[in-house]
């Protein structure tokens, strides 16, 4: 199989952690409901390809996300090696109860950086969302769990347009203060360009949240995800979210949410000699297999090129 | 229509020239043969959107590129404002004769950086291709034409794999010595990553070919085009090739040649406050119109997002 030529360049990290969101963020945004056995096999194959951080599912109420209604059943089926971290998304204390019952060791919570999205997604104000997160995070930490904080709509919001960095940093810093070990800065609608990325990371570090606590999460809706990721790497970020095969983005529809494909990211990182521990060939084979299960082609350009 | 938020960042040029290749490189790689009146309207609309450098067609023999067999007829129909540069591709002296008969003022010639592609595309060796170019360039210059030199397969070749920078620079420097005012460094199979881009531009400047003479031409086959373009801008390059609507790349097939879409490029440049003179809204409308004529959706993510 074709591989990128390795040519290093200055100013980039030696190693990057790929935070794989395909099984959760990817499958949650696919219209098909995937069988639990297929999900389990998918996650096993991702781990076998070398991914060491895989967000496996969500304990959001099945009414909202029927695609992941089998979260408990899935986790019971999984038997991942100890080296693999397998966080799950938890919206609130009820979700935390279910996660604890499933022996989860890491959770992620999902915050909004804008009032409108907080209202639409969480039925709360920007401020009120913390009434939900605070007890969830505190109880999770008391149980010894680690907590990741997603901050969504960091670079733009479909209703409000531009989002002030100050507002994003305020939400993020509050999550860190509550005990989150990491923030994932999400470009939920995929509109960001590199100047915004540099500015937002700079605003966080100026507020005392170091790059070691920041992960980036770009959507490829406007084709900008990989250039923005490269920009974040230059700013010192070393954790990047992506979705195997670009799951969760529809390549044909205008409404594409468009997660950055792990393979497209990995092609760049492999070419730059940035270590990830992930095997591109195994990953592509996994995404081709998953695309067959979903009955639609992968939107990942690397998967399309290598599987063609 | 949604627009990117403007946030500048250091180390990038203030202004970029977009060298639009859609009518030539794009349409040449589409299976449909487009009516000459539609091509003329397409080019007029591109110029109206603010593009000032538009490669309109090719005088390659129609046997090889039937899509552009109407080159002379198309040029006779065009009546572009003086501000628009309208180069055409010319393979050899016979093509130059046809270009001169059509009152063309700028041409581009297409060289290979690898032996295998020279053999397959030009039926010559790396060295022998200059036997074809030398008289073509010399006569063109004697007629007062400017000549752009494409160098293809700069970052990898489907048959040879890695391509030594030295070899690319040798071909490029020879074209400059012959009188080319600009080189377009093509990632014909879309495999490059940013380290290669920085290294190749560095190799050219070390050999005395300044960045002011370099344009970049990335294909998005592996999803890397925009990140590589950003890298080239950081190295001081200010001319970028792209194709309106991503014409010439098939979004669904494994064989996608995948020109970088002008809209995806423009979203980034507009966001960074880099001036191009191009109106995104008019350009998207043009690509939507052209996609209807071709009967297939544009592979540009920006076009998909904004037209959805």
């Amino acid at each position: 199989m074709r591989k990128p030529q390795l040519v290093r360049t200055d100013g980039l990290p030696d190693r990057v952690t790929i935070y794989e969101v395909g099984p959760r963020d990817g499958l949650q945004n696919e219209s098909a409901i995937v069988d639990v056995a297929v999900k389990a096999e998918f996650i096993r194959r991702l781990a076998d390809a070398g991914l060491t951080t895989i967000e496996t599912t969500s304990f959001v109420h099945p009414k909202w996300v029927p695609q992941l209604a089998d979260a408990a059943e899935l986790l019971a089926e999984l038997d991942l090696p100890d080296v693999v971290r397998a966080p799950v998304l938890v919206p609130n204390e009820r979700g935390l109860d279910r996660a604890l019952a499933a022996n989860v060791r890491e959770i992620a919570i999902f915050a909004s950086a804008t009032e409108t999205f907080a209202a639409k997604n969480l039925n709360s104000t920007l401020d009120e969302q913390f009434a939900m997160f605070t007890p969830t995070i505190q109880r999770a930490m008391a149980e010894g769990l680690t907590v990741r904080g997603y901050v969504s709509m960091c670079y733009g919001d479909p209703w409000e347009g531009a989002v002030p960095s100050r507002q994003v940093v305020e939400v993020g810093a509050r999550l860190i203060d509550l005990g989150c070990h990491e923030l994932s800065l999400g470009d939920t609608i995929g509109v960001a360009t590199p100047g915004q990325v540099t500015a937002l990371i700079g605003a966080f570090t100026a507020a005392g949240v170091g790059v070691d606590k920041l992960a980036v999460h770009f959507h490829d809706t406007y084709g900008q995800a990989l250039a923005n990721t490269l920009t974040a790497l230059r700013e010192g970020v070393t954790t990047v979210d992506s979705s195997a095969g670009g799951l969760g983005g529809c390549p044909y529809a205008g409404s594409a949410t468009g997660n950055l494909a792990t393979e497209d990211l990995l092609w760049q990182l492999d070419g730059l000699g940035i270590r990830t521990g992930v095997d591109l060939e195994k990953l592509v084979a996994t995404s081709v297999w998953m695309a067959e299960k979903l009955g639609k082609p992968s939107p990942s350009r690397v998967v399309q090129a290598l599987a063609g």
Side-chain angles (χ1 to χ4, degrees), chain A:
Chain A
M1 195 180 70
R2 186 172 287 163
K3 288 183 177 185
Q5 189 185 343
L6 196 166
V7 182
R8 290 191 170 81
T9 191
D10 293 340
L12 291 171
D14 296 329
R15 190 171 178 89
V16 157
T17 299
I18 298 181
Y19 185 104
E20 172 60 44
V21 300
R24 198 278 300 169
D25 192 11
L27 291 183
Q28 152 177 351
N29 289 297
E30 293 289 339
S31 52
I33 295 196
V34 176
D35 190 77
V36 67
V38 172
K39 286 176 183 163
E41 174 69 8
F42 179 45
I43 293 166
R44 270 192 291 271
R45 290 183 69 149
L46 294 174
D48 183 58
L51 286 157
T52 54
T53 312
I54 307 172
E55 197 168 287
T56 52
T57 188
S58 165
F59 282 107
V60 172
H61 195 285
K63 181 173 155 193
W64 307 116
V65 184
Q67 291 90 339
L68 305 182
D70 56 6
E73 198 187 340
L74 172 65
L75 294 178
E77 279 213 19
L78 287 179
D79 184 21
L80 294 170
D82 284 344
V83 67
V84 178
R85 296 168 48 198
V88 303
L89 192 74
V90 158
N92 51 29
E93 287 193 87
R94 177 74 192 92
L96 178 62
D97 290 337
R98 293 173 65 204
L100 289 169
N103 292 314
V104 161
R105 302 312 304 153
E106 301 200 33
I107 64 166
I109 57 110
F110 192 83
S112 171
T114 70
E115 288 289 358
T116 317
F117 191 58
K120 289 189 183 273
N121 196 50
L122 306 169
N123 197 27
S124 71
T125 66
L126 254 188
D127 221 47
E128 283 167 8
Q129 64 182 340
F130 286 95
M132 202 159 67
F133 300 145
T134 303
T136 309
I137 296 173
Q138 285 172 343
R139 273 191 52 212
M141 291 186 63
E143 297 280 352
L145 274 58
T146 62
V147 185
R148 164 184 248 225
Y150 281 102
V151 186
S152 56
M153 302 291 175
C154 288
Y155 300 99
D157 173 294
W159 307 279
E160 301 181 19
V163 179
S165 292
R166 184 188 33 73
Q167 190 172 313
V168 181
V169 171
E170 207 173 292
V171 170
R174 252 178 109 165
L175 293 172
I176 292 285
D177 289 345
L178 283 170
C180 287
H181 74 100
E182 178 173 274
L183 298 177
S184 171
L185 306 178
D187 183 14
T188 315
I189 58 170
V191 294
T193 52
Q196 286 182 275
V197 177
T198 296
L200 186 61
I201 294 170
F204 268 104
T205 54
V209 180
V211 284
D212 58 310
K213 295 210 178 301
L214 301 178
V216 288
H217 183 113
F218 290 110
H219 282 195
D220 213 22
T221 321
Y222 292 79
Q224 310 294 311
L226 195 56
N228 288 335
T229 300
L230 179 66
T231 302
L233 298 180
R234 290 201 185 281
E235 299 297 333
V237 168
T238 58
T239 301
V240 180
D241 296 5
S242 63
S243 175
L247 277 181
C250 171
Y252 310 161
S255 60
T257 56
N259 275 302
L260 172 60
T262 306
E263 290 86 350
D264 298 10
L265 169 64
L266 191 57
W267 186 276
Q268 183 183 80
L269 298 178
D270 280 356
L272 288 164
I274 296 173
R275 285 174 298 133
T276 62
V278 183
D279 183 308
L280 181 62
E281 192 161 357
K282 283 186 177 179
L283 189 60
V284 169
T286 299
S287 290
V288 168
W289 170 86
M290 193 66 202
E292 281 165 13
K293 298 290 179 194
L294 289 168
K296 62 196 271 281
S298 162
S300 159
R301 306 241 166 172
V302 167
V303 172
Q304 287 172 19
L306 294 178

